[in-house]
Amino acid sequence: TSGGQTLAQCFDNMIVNSDNACAEWFGATIGWGAITNEARAIGASRTNLNTANFTSTTNDQALFLQKLESNQLGLTEPSRARLIDAMKRQVYRKGIPVGVGVPVADKVGFLDGYLHDSAIVYSPKGVYVIVIYSNGSSWAAIADAARQIHAQLQ
């Protein structure tokens, strides 16, 4: 495993702490091509992890989260629950979670000026997915955008 961590610890660090070393270990172990193929198999046609500059889109990310929430990824229920639980515990909570003010399972990404937040939002009026990708933005701006979207859906 990565850095002497168990597989479970590595998984939690990757999701909860946005630890890129664990993600890189998974990619090297499983193969970025295989992971890209898995993304394509669920319909995420614009995601490419085969190149030095990984690419994806908000639509692909939203599709993944929608399928995760509706149990359409082919995961066992314990695996699905573990992933959603890890997303609920991730430590960067100043974006979508602050903006919507209701329970959220989200995953952030930040590197080289990019700041992203993708979430399953558990609103009293219904569950929905929101994905915000940005370049040169801030957590406050992401929270504000999420707040405006959430208000329109309530």
Side-chain angles (χ1 to χ4, degrees):
T1 59
S2 175
Q5 299 178 73
T6 68
L7 186 58
Q9 289 169 325
C10 188
F11 175 81
D12 276 354
N13 278 334
M14 182 175 64
I15 304 298
V16 175
N17 299 314
S18 200
D19 183 342
N20 287 338
C22 284
E24 291 164 7
W25 179 83
F26 276 110
T29 302
I30 298 167
W32 291 115
I35 296 170
T36 296
N37 290 340
E38 288 294 321
R40 299 268 164 76
I42 66 162
S45 62
R46 303 286 308 271
T47 296
N48 187 350
L49 307 175
N50 283 321
T51 65
N53 297 320
F54 296 161
T55 58
S56 191
T57 65
T58 54
N59 284 344
D60 280 3
Q61 185 69 37
L63 176 68
F64 173 80
L65 292 175
Q66 182 273 323
K67 287 188 174 209
L68 173 62
E69 174 57 27
S70 61
N71 200 18
Q72 296 178 24
L73 292 177
L75 299 174
T76 65
E77 185 52 35
S79 293
R80 179 182 164 277
R82 182 182 179 104
L83 177 53
I84 291 173
D85 176 66
M87 292 170 63
K88 288 178 178 178
R89 293 182 292 114
Q90 72 87 13
V91 298
Y92 299 96
R93 309 300 290 172
K94 294 182 180 181
I96 293 171
V98 164
V100 298
V102 296
V104 165
D106 66 323
K107 176 67 179 86
V108 300
F110 46 89
L111 185 65
D112 299 331
Y114 293 102
L115 185 61
H116 304 330
D117 201 350
S118 304
I120 302 167
V121 179
Y122 299 96
S123 168
K125 298 244 176 155
V127 177
Y128 67 91
V129 168
I130 181 173
V131 178
I132 301 172
Y133 282 10
S134 69
N135 187 359
S137 192
S138 67
W139 292 122
I142 289 174
D144 186 54
R147 183 178 302 106
Q148 292 178 49
I149 293 165
H150 184 72
Q152 293 299 311
L153 297 174
Q154 298 311 299

